[in-house]
Amino acid sequence: MAAKFLLWTMLCTTLLNAQVSKDSTTVNTVKNPGRYYRFSYKQLAVPVVLVSYGVIGLESHPIIGLNRQLRDEVKEDIDEKITIDDFSQYAPMASVYALNAMGIEGKNNFKDRTIVMATSYLIMSGTVLGLKSLTKVERPDGSSKNSFPSGHTATAFAGAEFLWQEYKDKSVWYGIAGYAVATGTGLFRIYNNRHWLTDVAAGAGIGILSTKIAYWLQPYLTNKLFTGGNSVKEQKYTTAIAPFYNGNQLGCSVVIKF
């Protein structure tokens, strides 16, 4: 029941974001230079609820009990671990660059979307690593005390929100697909006995919020910290960028095709 609730909550995030976007202005920085992504408190609702559930669950006995009950149910059904979550966490983020490489243009040019992606990942990874070191929650499998929040889930949902923002004006199905993959990543973290339900919920909220913040900051970062702004022409090459965090190490891989 808990797993179904989590799946439903995360998938509904996309639909809620779609509704929120009607009340907030999201502007194409390529076609409309000088304009920006407007901040809206309504956009905070879903990620704040997810993070709050995770944080409250650190001390709430009923939620802790639910975590353990779900862990015990999963342990009974596990035959062998499925490590697809080590790769699926990057799929939504990589999809943005893959779609652009195939000629399906997103909202931003290469430079601006890369600034957004890098900013989101820096915010997300800094938050995740900081909370892990502060909370020291033991993983369900007892392997270490850095369970809260889930870095894999945060990475996946940061990418899903990135994909949603870049392609929601083309088709909502791009974003829905990204959130479906991100949700699956979170569920596999539970299935593989690596995270509690609260870890996954908090990771999802942190990932979504990190990307939203990155879009709000993007005009300032582009116009103030990087020269050229939106006047720089798109370079004729394709690039795939995949940040990673494996629980101990943090890094980023880049592949450029000229």
Side-chain angles (χ1 to χ4, degrees), residues 12-22 24 42-44 46-47 161 164-165 168 179 208 212:
C12 283
T13 297
T14 302
L15 301 178
L16 287 171
N17 280 337
Q19 181 62 40
V20 166
S21 67
K22 295 179 182 179
S24 58
K42 292 181 180 180
Q43 297 182 27
L44 299 177
V46 172
E161 178 66 15
W164 167 257
Q165 292 292 343
K168 65 183 179 181
Y179 269 100
I208 296 169
K212 287 186 180 295

PDB file of all heavy atoms in Angstrom, residues 12-22 24 42-44 46-47 161 164-165 168 179 208 212:
ATOM      1  N   CYS A  12       1.592  12.027  -9.854  1.00  0.00           N
ATOM      2  CA  CYS A  12       0.694  13.182  -9.808  1.00  0.00           C
ATOM      3  C   CYS A  12       1.465  14.495  -9.815  1.00  0.00           C
ATOM      4  O   CYS A  12       0.907  15.550 -10.127  1.00  0.00           O
ATOM      5  CB  CYS A  12      -0.192  13.128  -8.559  1.00  0.00           C
ATOM      6  SG  CYS A  12      -1.557  11.947  -8.698  1.00  0.00           S
ATOM      7  N   THR A  13       2.741  14.449  -9.467  1.00  0.00           N
ATOM      8  CA  THR A  13       3.567  15.652  -9.482  1.00  0.00           C
ATOM      9  C   THR A  13       3.532  16.313 -10.854  1.00  0.00           C
ATOM     10  O   THR A  13       3.439  17.529 -10.978  1.00  0.00           O
ATOM     11  CB  THR A  13       5.021  15.288  -9.136  1.00  0.00           C
ATOM     12  OG1 THR A  13       5.057  14.763  -7.812  1.00  0.00           O
ATOM     13  CG2 THR A  13       5.905  16.530  -9.167  1.00  0.00           C
ATOM     14  N   THR A  14       3.609  15.503 -11.905  1.00  0.00           N
ATOM     15  CA  THR A  14       3.611  16.044 -13.258  1.00  0.00           C
ATOM     16  C   THR A  14       2.304  16.773 -13.546  1.00  0.00           C
ATOM     17  O   THR A  14       2.300  17.871 -14.101  1.00  0.00           O
ATOM     18  CB  THR A  14       3.804  14.921 -14.287  1.00  0.00           C
ATOM     19  OG1 THR A  14       5.035  14.261 -14.005  1.00  0.00           O
ATOM     20  CG2 THR A  14       3.850  15.485 -15.698  1.00  0.00           C
ATOM     21  N   LEU A  15       1.185  16.166 -13.168  1.00  0.00           N
ATOM     22  CA  LEU A  15      -0.105  16.777 -13.446  1.00  0.00           C
ATOM     23  C   LEU A  15      -0.281  18.052 -12.639  1.00  0.00           C
ATOM     24  O   LEU A  15      -0.839  19.035 -13.123  1.00  0.00           O
ATOM     25  CB  LEU A  15      -1.225  15.778 -13.135  1.00  0.00           C
ATOM     26  CG  LEU A  15      -1.157  14.473 -13.938  1.00  0.00           C
ATOM     27  CD1 LEU A  15      -2.283  13.536 -13.514  1.00  0.00           C
ATOM     28  CD2 LEU A  15      -1.245  14.754 -15.430  1.00  0.00           C
ATOM     29  N   LEU A  16       0.204  18.061 -11.398  1.00  0.00           N
ATOM     30  CA  LEU A  16       0.116  19.257 -10.584  1.00  0.00           C
ATOM     31  C   LEU A  16       0.985  20.369 -11.152  1.00  0.00           C
ATOM     32  O   LEU A  16       0.606  21.539 -11.164  1.00  0.00           O
ATOM     33  CB  LEU A  16       0.552  18.944  -9.139  1.00  0.00           C
ATOM     34  CG  LEU A  16      -0.446  18.121  -8.328  1.00  0.00           C
ATOM     35  CD1 LEU A  16       0.189  17.694  -7.010  1.00  0.00           C
ATOM     36  CD2 LEU A  16      -1.716  18.913  -8.064  1.00  0.00           C
ATOM     37  N   ASN A  17       2.167  20.019 -11.633  1.00  0.00           N
ATOM     38  CA  ASN A  17       3.040  21.007 -12.249  1.00  0.00           C
ATOM     39  C   ASN A  17       2.385  21.601 -13.491  1.00  0.00           C
ATOM     40  O   ASN A  17       2.549  22.777 -13.785  1.00  0.00           O
ATOM     41  CB  ASN A  17       4.372  20.367 -12.635  1.00  0.00           C
ATOM     42  CG  ASN A  17       5.297  20.237 -11.450  1.00  0.00           C
ATOM     43  OD1 ASN A  17       5.161  20.949 -10.475  1.00  0.00           O
ATOM     44  ND2 ASN A  17       6.253  19.317 -11.540  1.00  0.00           N
ATOM     45  N   ALA A  18       1.653  20.774 -14.226  1.00  0.00           N
ATOM     46  CA  ALA A  18       0.977  21.267 -15.415  1.00  0.00           C
ATOM     47  C   ALA A  18      -0.064  22.311 -15.044  1.00  0.00           C
ATOM     48  O   ALA A  18      -0.213  23.324 -15.713  1.00  0.00           O
ATOM     49  CB  ALA A  18       0.309  20.108 -16.157  1.00  0.00           C
ATOM     50  N   GLN A  19      -0.799  22.056 -13.967  1.00  0.00           N
ATOM     51  CA  GLN A  19      -1.801  23.001 -13.510  1.00  0.00           C
ATOM     52  C   GLN A  19      -1.155  24.275 -13.023  1.00  0.00           C
ATOM     53  O   GLN A  19      -1.607  25.387 -13.306  1.00  0.00           O
ATOM     54  CB  GLN A  19      -2.637  22.378 -12.382  1.00  0.00           C
ATOM     55  CG  GLN A  19      -3.740  23.298 -11.849  1.00  0.00           C
ATOM     56  CD  GLN A  19      -4.759  23.641 -12.910  1.00  0.00           C
ATOM     57  OE1 GLN A  19      -5.147  22.798 -13.712  1.00  0.00           O
ATOM     58  NE2 GLN A  19      -5.188  24.892 -12.956  1.00  0.00           N
ATOM     59  N   VAL A  20      -0.060  24.147 -12.276  1.00  0.00           N
ATOM     60  CA  VAL A  20       0.644  25.304 -11.737  1.00  0.00           C
ATOM     61  C   VAL A  20       1.176  26.184 -12.854  1.00  0.00           C
ATOM     62  O   VAL A  20       1.183  27.402 -12.771  1.00  0.00           O
ATOM     63  CB  VAL A  20       1.799  24.840 -10.813  1.00  0.00           C
ATOM     64  CG1 VAL A  20       2.743  25.984 -10.512  1.00  0.00           C
ATOM     65  CG2 VAL A  20       1.225  24.298  -9.514  1.00  0.00           C
ATOM     66  N   SER A  21       1.646  25.559 -13.923  1.00  0.00           N
ATOM     67  CA  SER A  21       2.256  26.317 -15.015  1.00  0.00           C
ATOM     68  C   SER A  21       1.261  27.267 -15.682  1.00  0.00           C
ATOM     69  O   SER A  21       1.655  28.233 -16.319  1.00  0.00           O
ATOM     70  CB  SER A  21       2.844  25.369 -16.066  1.00  0.00           C
ATOM     71  OG  SER A  21       1.813  24.662 -16.722  1.00  0.00           O
ATOM     72  N   LYS A  22      -0.037  27.005 -15.537  1.00  0.00           N
ATOM     73  CA  LYS A  22      -1.034  27.897 -16.097  1.00  0.00           C
ATOM     74  C   LYS A  22      -1.047  29.237 -15.355  1.00  0.00           C
ATOM     75  O   LYS A  22      -1.453  30.253 -15.898  1.00  0.00           O
ATOM     76  CB  LYS A  22      -2.428  27.261 -16.014  1.00  0.00           C
ATOM     77  CG  LYS A  22      -2.574  26.004 -16.876  1.00  0.00           C
ATOM     78  CD  LYS A  22      -3.958  25.425 -16.720  1.00  0.00           C
ATOM     79  CE  LYS A  22      -4.118  24.137 -17.533  1.00  0.00           C
ATOM     80  NZ  LYS A  22      -5.455  23.548 -17.360  1.00  0.00           N
ATOM     81  N   SER A  24       1.706  30.566 -13.778  1.00  0.00           N
ATOM     82  CA  SER A  24       3.029  31.175 -13.692  1.00  0.00           C
ATOM     83  C   SER A  24       3.613  31.262 -15.088  1.00  0.00           C
ATOM     84  O   SER A  24       3.390  30.411 -15.927  1.00  0.00           O
ATOM     85  CB  SER A  24       3.945  30.344 -12.787  1.00  0.00           C
ATOM     86  OG  SER A  24       4.056  29.045 -13.272  1.00  0.00           O
ATOM     87  N   LYS A  42       3.069  28.654  -5.715  1.00  0.00           N
ATOM     88  CA  LYS A  42       2.313  27.438  -6.018  1.00  0.00           C
ATOM     89  C   LYS A  42       3.236  26.323  -6.510  1.00  0.00           C
ATOM     90  O   LYS A  42       2.951  25.144  -6.304  1.00  0.00           O
ATOM     91  CB  LYS A  42       1.250  27.742  -7.060  1.00  0.00           C
ATOM     92  CG  LYS A  42       0.134  28.655  -6.573  1.00  0.00           C
ATOM     93  CD  LYS A  42      -0.895  28.884  -7.670  1.00  0.00           C
ATOM     94  CE  LYS A  42      -2.012  29.799  -7.176  1.00  0.00           C
ATOM     95  NZ  LYS A  42      -3.044  30.037  -8.228  1.00  0.00           N
ATOM     96  N   GLN A  43       4.341  26.706  -7.154  1.00  0.00           N
ATOM     97  CA  GLN A  43       5.266  25.702  -7.657  1.00  0.00           C
ATOM     98  C   GLN A  43       6.005  24.977  -6.535  1.00  0.00           C
ATOM     99  O   GLN A  43       6.620  23.932  -6.766  1.00  0.00           O
ATOM    100  CB  GLN A  43       6.283  26.350  -8.595  1.00  0.00           C
ATOM    101  CG  GLN A  43       5.661  26.955  -9.841  1.00  0.00           C
ATOM    102  CD  GLN A  43       6.702  27.548 -10.763  1.00  0.00           C
ATOM    103  OE1 GLN A  43       7.847  27.125 -10.781  1.00  0.00           O
ATOM    104  NE2 GLN A  43       6.310  28.544 -11.543  1.00  0.00           N
ATOM    105  N   LEU A  44       5.957  25.524  -5.335  1.00  0.00           N
ATOM    106  CA  LEU A  44       6.656  24.910  -4.201  1.00  0.00           C
ATOM    107  C   LEU A  44       5.836  23.809  -3.535  1.00  0.00           C
ATOM    108  O   LEU A  44       6.378  23.032  -2.748  1.00  0.00           O
ATOM    109  CB  LEU A  44       6.989  25.980  -3.156  1.00  0.00           C
ATOM    110  CG  LEU A  44       7.903  27.121  -3.592  1.00  0.00           C
ATOM    111  CD1 LEU A  44       8.064  28.113  -2.443  1.00  0.00           C
ATOM    112  CD2 LEU A  44       9.256  26.599  -4.031  1.00  0.00           C
ATOM    113  N   VAL A  46       4.265  20.843  -4.284  1.00  0.00           N
ATOM    114  CA  VAL A  46       4.584  19.415  -4.376  1.00  0.00           C
ATOM    115  C   VAL A  46       5.936  19.086  -3.743  1.00  0.00           C
ATOM    116  O   VAL A  46       6.022  18.184  -2.897  1.00  0.00           O
ATOM    117  CB  VAL A  46       4.523  18.932  -5.834  1.00  0.00           C
ATOM    118  CG1 VAL A  46       5.041  17.505  -5.952  1.00  0.00           C
ATOM    119  CG2 VAL A  46       3.087  19.015  -6.353  1.00  0.00           C
ATOM    120  N   PRO A  47       7.037  19.779  -4.125  1.00  0.00           N
ATOM    121  CA  PRO A  47       8.319  19.429  -3.508  1.00  0.00           C
ATOM    122  C   PRO A  47       8.357  19.657  -2.000  1.00  0.00           C
ATOM    123  O   PRO A  47       8.978  18.879  -1.274  1.00  0.00           O
ATOM    124  CB  PRO A  47       9.330  20.334  -4.228  1.00  0.00           C
ATOM    125  CG  PRO A  47       8.534  21.396  -4.883  1.00  0.00           C
ATOM    126  CD  PRO A  47       7.207  20.788  -5.185  1.00  0.00           C
ATOM    127  N   GLU A 161      12.199  17.000 -13.855  1.00  0.00           N
ATOM    128  CA  GLU A 161      11.711  18.381 -13.884  1.00  0.00           C
ATOM    129  C   GLU A 161      12.398  19.172 -14.993  1.00  0.00           C
ATOM    130  O   GLU A 161      11.772  20.015 -15.655  1.00  0.00           O
ATOM    131  CB  GLU A 161      11.953  19.047 -12.525  1.00  0.00           C
ATOM    132  CG  GLU A 161      11.518  20.506 -12.442  1.00  0.00           C
ATOM    133  CD  GLU A 161      10.013  20.704 -12.560  1.00  0.00           C
ATOM    134  OE1 GLU A 161       9.262  19.723 -12.430  1.00  0.00           O
ATOM    135  OE2 GLU A 161       9.588  21.856 -12.769  1.00  0.00           O
ATOM    136  N   TRP A 164      10.718  18.131 -18.137  1.00  0.00           N
ATOM    137  CA  TRP A 164       9.373  18.729 -18.142  1.00  0.00           C
ATOM    138  C   TRP A 164       9.417  20.191 -18.555  1.00  0.00           C
ATOM    139  O   TRP A 164       8.677  20.639 -19.422  1.00  0.00           O
ATOM    140  CB  TRP A 164       8.751  18.574 -16.763  1.00  0.00           C
ATOM    141  CG  TRP A 164       7.516  19.397 -16.548  1.00  0.00           C
ATOM    142  CD1 TRP A 164       7.407  20.562 -15.849  1.00  0.00           C
ATOM    143  CD2 TRP A 164       6.199  19.117 -17.035  1.00  0.00           C
ATOM    144  NE1 TRP A 164       6.120  21.024 -15.873  1.00  0.00           N
ATOM    145  CE2 TRP A 164       5.354  20.148 -16.600  1.00  0.00           C
ATOM    146  CE3 TRP A 164       5.672  18.083 -17.800  1.00  0.00           C
ATOM    147  CZ2 TRP A 164       4.004  20.193 -16.902  1.00  0.00           C
ATOM    148  CZ3 TRP A 164       4.312  18.128 -18.100  1.00  0.00           C
ATOM    149  CH2 TRP A 164       3.503  19.162 -17.655  1.00  0.00           C
ATOM    150  N   GLN A 165      10.321  20.953 -17.942  1.00  0.00           N
ATOM    151  CA  GLN A 165      10.400  22.380 -18.233  1.00  0.00           C
ATOM    152  C   GLN A 165      10.825  22.651 -19.677  1.00  0.00           C
ATOM    153  O   GLN A 165      10.329  23.583 -20.320  1.00  0.00           O
ATOM    154  CB  GLN A 165      11.384  23.056 -17.275  1.00  0.00           C
ATOM    155  CG  GLN A 165      10.938  23.119 -15.829  1.00  0.00           C
ATOM    156  CD  GLN A 165       9.751  24.042 -15.620  1.00  0.00           C
ATOM    157  OE1 GLN A 165       9.423  24.876 -16.448  1.00  0.00           O
ATOM    158  NE2 GLN A 165       9.088  23.907 -14.477  1.00  0.00           N
ATOM    159  N   LYS A 168       7.628  20.697 -22.081  1.00  0.00           N
ATOM    160  CA  LYS A 168       6.194  20.651 -21.813  1.00  0.00           C
ATOM    161  C   LYS A 168       5.388  21.414 -22.860  1.00  0.00           C
ATOM    162  O   LYS A 168       4.210  21.121 -23.085  1.00  0.00           O
ATOM    163  CB  LYS A 168       5.895  21.200 -20.414  1.00  0.00           C
ATOM    164  CG  LYS A 168       6.225  22.675 -20.230  1.00  0.00           C
ATOM    165  CD  LYS A 168       5.954  23.097 -18.797  1.00  0.00           C
ATOM    166  CE  LYS A 168       6.299  24.564 -18.575  1.00  0.00           C
ATOM    167  NZ  LYS A 168       6.050  24.969 -17.173  1.00  0.00           N
ATOM    168  N   TYR A 179       8.985  11.702 -15.482  1.00  0.00           N
ATOM    169  CA  TYR A 179       8.564  11.480 -14.100  1.00  0.00           C
ATOM    170  C   TYR A 179       8.272  10.009 -13.831  1.00  0.00           C
ATOM    171  O   TYR A 179       8.460   9.535 -12.707  1.00  0.00           O
ATOM    172  CB  TYR A 179       7.344  12.346 -13.771  1.00  0.00           C
ATOM    173  CG  TYR A 179       7.734  13.692 -13.213  1.00  0.00           C
ATOM    174  CD1 TYR A 179       7.740  14.824 -14.012  1.00  0.00           C
ATOM    175  CD2 TYR A 179       8.112  13.821 -11.887  1.00  0.00           C
ATOM    176  CE1 TYR A 179       8.114  16.056 -13.495  1.00  0.00           C
ATOM    177  CE2 TYR A 179       8.484  15.038 -11.364  1.00  0.00           C
ATOM    178  CZ  TYR A 179       8.476  16.160 -12.177  1.00  0.00           C
ATOM    179  OH  TYR A 179       8.862  17.371 -11.657  1.00  0.00           O
ATOM    180  N   ILE A 208      13.157  17.969  -7.545  1.00  0.00           N
ATOM    181  CA  ILE A 208      12.225  18.870  -8.234  1.00  0.00           C
ATOM    182  C   ILE A 208      12.520  20.320  -7.874  1.00  0.00           C
ATOM    183  O   ILE A 208      12.620  21.198  -8.746  1.00  0.00           O
ATOM    184  CB  ILE A 208      10.772  18.526  -7.865  1.00  0.00           C
ATOM    185  CG1 ILE A 208      10.404  17.132  -8.360  1.00  0.00           C
ATOM    186  CG2 ILE A 208       9.807  19.559  -8.453  1.00  0.00           C
ATOM    187  CD1 ILE A 208       9.094  16.611  -7.808  1.00  0.00           C
ATOM    188  N   LYS A 212      13.703  23.683 -10.197  1.00  0.00           N
ATOM    189  CA  LYS A 212      12.881  24.893 -10.228  1.00  0.00           C
ATOM    190  C   LYS A 212      13.719  26.115  -9.848  1.00  0.00           C
ATOM    191  O   LYS A 212      13.639  27.173 -10.482  1.00  0.00           O
ATOM    192  CB  LYS A 212      11.679  24.743  -9.288  1.00  0.00           C
ATOM    193  CG  LYS A 212      10.608  23.794  -9.807  1.00  0.00           C
ATOM    194  CD  LYS A 212       9.394  23.794  -8.911  1.00  0.00           C
ATOM    195  CE  LYS A 212       8.308  22.851  -9.426  1.00  0.00           C
ATOM    196  NZ  LYS A 212       7.757  23.274 -10.731  1.00  0.00           N
TER     197      LYS A 212
END
